[in-house]
Amino acid sequence: MKRFGMSIILCAALAAGVFTGCSGATSASAASASASPAIVSASSTASVSQASTTTASATTTGASALDTSGIFTDRDMEQTADTSAAKTITVSDGQDVTISEEGVYVISGTAKDVTITVEADDAAKVQLVLDGVSITNSDKPAIYVKSADKVFITTAEGSTNTLEVTGAFSTSIDSESTVDGAIFAKDDITLNGKGTLIVTSSDNGIVGKDDVKVTGGTYKINASGHAIQGKDSVAIADGTFDLTAGTDGIHAENADDPTLGYAYIAGGTFTIKAGSDGVAGTSVTQIDGGTLGINSAEGIEGTYVQINGGSVSIEATDDGINATTKSTAYTVQLEINGGDVTVNMGQGDTDALDANGNLFINGGTVAITAQSPFDYDGQGALNGGTVTVNGEQITELTNAMMGGQGGMGGMGGAPQGDMGSMGAAPQGGMSGGPQGGMR
């Protein structure tokens, strides 16, 4: 539970506009769900969709927070590698492997104290095909991407691959970065394939200091830290995931650029057990599809959280879904436009849907079991969808914050609201195109 200063916007002109039209249709358009996070730089992998600043006549359908059209390339989505000209590597105990040229490499064998290092040209694309490889290390990563344009880690069809780090990571691996993942990449990585990858780590499981993408494969990750961590982004198109993490299941954070650090899920099947957050992005956390089962302290977190589809089931002990200030580039907002969302909360000072800003429900099916179903500091409105709280369908939001602006729009807002929702949305932003191509 977090408490930030309440935002109460009193505008006489807009208030007059709302109170002159009291019909359901008029009030529905007044309480907006349109979402426009702040500007994302053109250098980011995904940009913020451009949507106009919400007015009293804005539509009740929120625009996608991210421009997702260029997140995944054609090669990202390919689940098999062309191995006709591939080089074969069989790992051996204590024998590190360095890959310095672009190409496809098929890796197999069982070994201890081995690191496969990719140190290639900045324009090189390297594909590692894991075909029955098992590596166990005491203090260093099993796969270390030091330099390349992009590295694809592909599990061969029918293969089972195991990467494990049992002890504390050595601090002497890289003079510029703290290497703390069983897979650690300083450049873009994409994981795909038709096999299975099992990762066990004394710290983080998979770490990328740029973009981390997953488009297929089966993953079982057990990590004391984060299971999957990306700096600029973590984007998942498909796959099967069994994630156990001491901190976050999926974590995206960029402390240098507040417009980055987003988490995006378009599909996949997830079982996540985490000590902190199930899925967290410091800027945007967007879910468009997939089936997620999350058991954690907080289920989903971000500055701007948007759920447009999929099936999300959360068991949480703090906040179920939390929109809070993690990035200064975005207005804090929690928005549900579609999908099936189930949130079951533990006892105590817990909130199912908690926004330190605005809360809009525009569609989908939302089922909440909680003492405090809604807590928002800004504006809140129930514009559409089917929402049940403790087994009973509701037609308005009741705000535990006692001061957030309850929405008069749509199906009603919190009775405690002074004026009803004016529909003010996050700042409108210019849409910078995603960086397509093979990155």
Side-chain angles (χ1 to χ4, degrees):
M1 294 275 296
K2 287 151 282 293
R3 289 287 182 265
F4 290 79
M6 291 182 291
S7 172
I8 302 178
I9 305 173
L10 300 175
C11 178
L14 289 177
V18 171
F19 288 118
T20 53
C22 296
S23 68
T26 302
S27 60
S29 64
S32 163
S34 184
S36 300
I39 295 174
V40 166
S41 65
S43 63
S44 63
T45 306
S47 64
V48 168
S49 295
Q50 185 170 1
S52 60
T53 302
T54 305
T55 64
S57 61
T59 63
T60 58
T61 301
S64 175
L66 296 169
D67 179 357
T68 63
S69 58
I71 290 181
F72 303 107
T73 67
D74 290 342
R75 189 171 178 182
D76 287 335
M77 299 301 294
E78 293 175 359
Q79 303 305 311
T80 57
D82 180 359
T83 59
S84 58
K87 298 178 181 178
T88 300
I89 298 172
T90 302
V91 294
S92 301
D93 289 349
Q95 300 296 310
D96 290 337
V97 176
T98 299
I99 295 171
S100 58
E101 296 180 354
E102 178 171 308
V104 179
Y105 301 82
V106 179
I107 302 170
S108 60
T110 299
K112 296 180 178 179
D113 297 321
V114 172
T115 296
I116 299 168
T117 300
V118 176
E119 190 171 5
D121 185 85
D122 289 343
K125 292 178 176 62
V126 175
Q127 188 158 19
L128 308 179
V129 180
L130 308 185
D131 191 6
V133 63
S134 178
I135 297 175
T136 302
N137 292 341
S138 59
D139 62 356
K140 59 184 181 178
I143 297 176
Y144 173 36
V145 178
K146 190 171 183 179
S147 61
D149 176 43
K150 191 172 191 176
V151 173
F152 301 85
I153 300 174
T154 305
T155 54
E157 184 170 5
S159 70
T160 298
N161 307 277
T162 303
L163 307 177
E164 182 175 7
V165 180
T166 59
F169 281 83
S170 170
T171 58
S172 61
I173 299 171
D174 192 307
S175 60
E176 298 177 349
S177 301
T178 300
V179 178
D180 54 4
I183 296 176
F184 186 91
K186 297 177 71 173
D187 288 298
D188 293 339
I189 57 170
T190 294
L191 293 97
N192 54 20
K194 296 185 177 182
T196 298
L197 176 60
I198 301 171
V199 177
T200 304
S201 176
S202 58
D203 203 324
N204 302 308
I206 298 171
V207 177
K209 292 301 182 179
D210 207 322
D211 294 317
V212 176
K213 302 177 185 179
V214 187
T215 66
T218 299
Y219 303 87
K220 184 174 183 179
I221 302 175
N222 192 322
S224 297
H226 304 310
I228 301 175
Q229 176 184 358
K231 182 177 181 180
D232 287 355
S233 70
V234 175
I236 298 174
D238 203 358
T240 301
F241 303 83
D242 183 350
L243 309 179
T244 301
T247 49
D248 295 351
I250 297 170
H251 180 93
E253 178 177 5
N254 188 318
D256 303 317
D257 187 343
T259 66
L260 298 177
Y262 68 84
Y264 174 63
I265 296 176
T269 301
F270 302 80
T271 300
I272 301 174
K273 183 178 181 181
S276 186
D277 300 333
V279 181
T282 51
S283 56
V284 175
T285 299
Q286 180 171 330
I287 297 174
D288 285 352
T291 301
L292 292 85
I294 300 172
N295 190 321
S296 59
E298 293 193 349
I300 298 171
E301 185 174 76
T303 300
Y304 186 90
V305 178
Q306 185 181 72
I307 299 176
N308 299 313
S311 175
V312 180
S313 179
I314 296 171
E315 300 275 346
T317 57
D318 190 347
D319 294 324
I321 303 175
N322 183 33
T324 187
T325 305
K326 295 289 185 179
S327 165
T328 57
Y330 300 87
T331 299
V332 178
Q333 183 156 302
L334 196 170
E335 179 183 336
I336 299 174
N337 298 314
D340 296 318
V341 179
T342 301
V343 181
N344 295 320
M345 298 303 302
Q347 298 296 312
D349 188 19
T350 62
D351 302 311
L353 305 184
D354 185 3
N356 299 133
N358 303 322
L359 169 60
F360 297 119
I361 301 176
N362 305 313
T365 301
V366 180
I368 294 171
T369 301
Q371 292 175 302
S372 173
F374 312 107
D375 186 359
Y376 51 95
D377 297 350
Q379 301 175 66
L382 174 51
N383 297 310
T386 301
V387 181
T388 58
V389 174
N390 299 325
E392 296 186 6
Q393 186 171 346
I394 64 169
T395 57
E396 62 182 16
L397 303 184
T398 55
N399 189 8
M401 186 61 189
M402 297 294 289
Q405 298 183 63
M408 292 180 61
M411 298 173 65
Q416 296 90 343
D418 295 327
M419 292 172 47
S421 173
M422 297 288 94
Q427 303 166 317
M430 289 173 38
S431 179
Q435 307 231 348
M438 297 302 301
R439 252 204 87 144

XYZ file of all heavy atoms in Angstrom, residues 25 50 64-65 87 94 96 135 152-153 173 198 200 221 238 270 280 396 399 406 410 414:
158
model
N -25.679 8.276 -21.676
C -24.774 8.394 -22.808
C -23.819 9.557 -22.631
O -22.634 9.464 -22.921
C -25.583 8.572 -24.101
N -0.048 7.414 -30.050
C -0.512 8.781 -29.924
C -2.014 8.787 -29.750
O -2.755 8.207 -30.520
C -0.126 9.592 -31.165
C -0.493 11.063 -31.040
C 0.115 11.885 -32.164
O 0.779 11.335 -33.017
N -0.127 13.165 -32.147
N -3.973 1.695 -27.319
C -2.861 0.894 -26.819
C -1.775 1.800 -26.278
O -1.376 2.780 -26.910
C -2.313 0.020 -27.950
O -1.159 -0.677 -27.528
N -1.295 1.496 -25.105
C -0.249 2.318 -24.494
C 1.051 2.255 -25.283
O 1.770 3.242 -25.379
C -0.010 1.865 -23.053
N 27.941 -24.327 -37.088
C 29.105 -24.919 -36.440
C 28.641 -25.636 -35.179
O 27.738 -25.162 -34.487
C 30.127 -23.837 -36.099
C 30.673 -23.119 -37.320
C 31.649 -22.027 -36.939
C 32.162 -21.300 -38.181
N 33.091 -20.196 -37.826
N 35.419 -27.076 -17.599
C 36.477 -26.095 -17.462
C 36.957 -25.451 -18.745
O 37.926 -24.683 -18.723
N 36.104 -22.870 -21.389
C 35.248 -21.785 -21.853
C 35.236 -21.721 -23.378
O 36.212 -22.100 -24.039
C 35.720 -20.442 -21.297
C 35.482 -20.307 -19.807
O 34.597 -21.009 -19.275
O 36.177 -19.498 -19.154
N 24.914 -27.142 -18.386
C 26.081 -26.450 -17.827
C 25.791 -26.083 -16.379
O 24.751 -25.486 -16.082
C 26.406 -25.174 -18.633
C 26.786 -25.538 -20.078
C 27.524 -24.382 -17.965
C 26.998 -24.328 -20.970
N 20.317 -14.706 -30.719
C 19.129 -15.558 -30.608
C 19.537 -16.818 -29.853
O 20.529 -17.469 -30.200
C 18.608 -15.947 -31.997
C 18.231 -14.767 -32.849
C 19.194 -14.109 -33.608
C 16.923 -14.306 -32.890
C 18.863 -13.018 -34.397
C 16.575 -13.212 -33.673
C 17.543 -12.563 -34.427
N 18.778 -17.162 -28.829
C 19.013 -18.392 -28.076
C 17.821 -19.287 -28.337
O 16.709 -19.033 -27.855
C 19.188 -18.102 -26.575
C 20.381 -17.162 -26.362
C 19.398 -19.407 -25.800
C 20.547 -16.706 -24.925
N 34.123 -10.603 -13.518
C 33.788 -11.071 -14.870
C 33.811 -9.931 -15.867
O 34.315 -10.068 -16.989
C 32.410 -11.753 -14.863
C 32.431 -12.973 -13.934
C 31.998 -12.172 -16.270
C 31.061 -13.575 -13.695
N 15.775 -25.013 -18.796
C 15.660 -24.973 -17.334
C 16.807 -24.133 -16.799
O 17.979 -24.423 -17.068
C 15.702 -26.398 -16.740
C 14.552 -27.247 -17.307
C 15.619 -26.333 -15.213
C 14.647 -28.717 -16.938
N 18.466 -22.327 -13.302
C 18.498 -22.198 -11.847
C 19.638 -21.251 -11.495
O 20.756 -21.422 -11.985
C 18.725 -23.561 -11.169
O 17.716 -24.480 -11.601
C 18.660 -23.424 -9.649
N 12.237 -21.543 -14.687
C 13.292 -20.718 -14.098
C 13.062 -20.611 -12.593
O 11.954 -20.283 -12.145
C 13.311 -19.310 -14.728
C 13.526 -19.422 -16.245
C 14.401 -18.452 -14.086
C 13.429 -18.095 -16.972
N 5.030 -15.412 -26.985
C 4.478 -16.749 -26.757
C 5.480 -17.554 -25.953
O 6.615 -17.125 -25.708
C 4.178 -17.439 -28.084
C 3.134 -18.545 -27.958
O 2.669 -18.813 -26.824
O 2.782 -19.145 -28.995
N 1.674 -18.653 -18.342
C 2.585 -18.304 -17.259
C 2.087 -18.819 -15.915
O 0.919 -18.612 -15.559
C 2.720 -16.776 -17.144
C 3.204 -16.085 -18.378
C 2.343 -15.818 -19.436
C 4.533 -15.700 -18.493
C 2.781 -15.180 -20.584
C 4.985 -15.064 -19.636
C 4.110 -14.803 -20.686
N 6.442 -6.671 -13.666
C 6.683 -5.269 -13.335
C 7.471 -4.577 -14.428
O 8.495 -5.089 -14.875
C 7.435 -5.145 -12.006
N -20.578 0.793 -9.880
C -19.773 1.967 -9.610
C -18.554 1.566 -8.787
O -18.555 0.520 -8.128
C -20.580 3.038 -8.873
C -21.079 2.597 -7.501
C -21.930 3.671 -6.824
O -22.362 4.595 -7.528
O -22.153 3.558 -5.611
N -14.194 3.986 -3.579
C -12.786 4.314 -3.414
C -12.361 4.252 -1.961
O -12.863 5.006 -1.122
C -12.513 5.713 -3.975
C -11.032 6.029 -4.040
O -10.183 5.165 -3.804
N -10.713 7.267 -4.359
N -14.458 10.258 -7.955
C -15.313 9.194 -8.432
C -15.923 9.540 -9.761
O -16.299 10.670 -10.007
N -20.136 6.507 -17.572
C -20.312 5.085 -17.807
C -21.320 4.503 -16.855
O -22.444 4.951 -16.750
N -17.330 6.536 -8.083
C -17.337 6.443 -6.632
C -18.226 7.504 -6.030
O -18.166 8.668 -6.396
C -15.919 6.602 -6.113
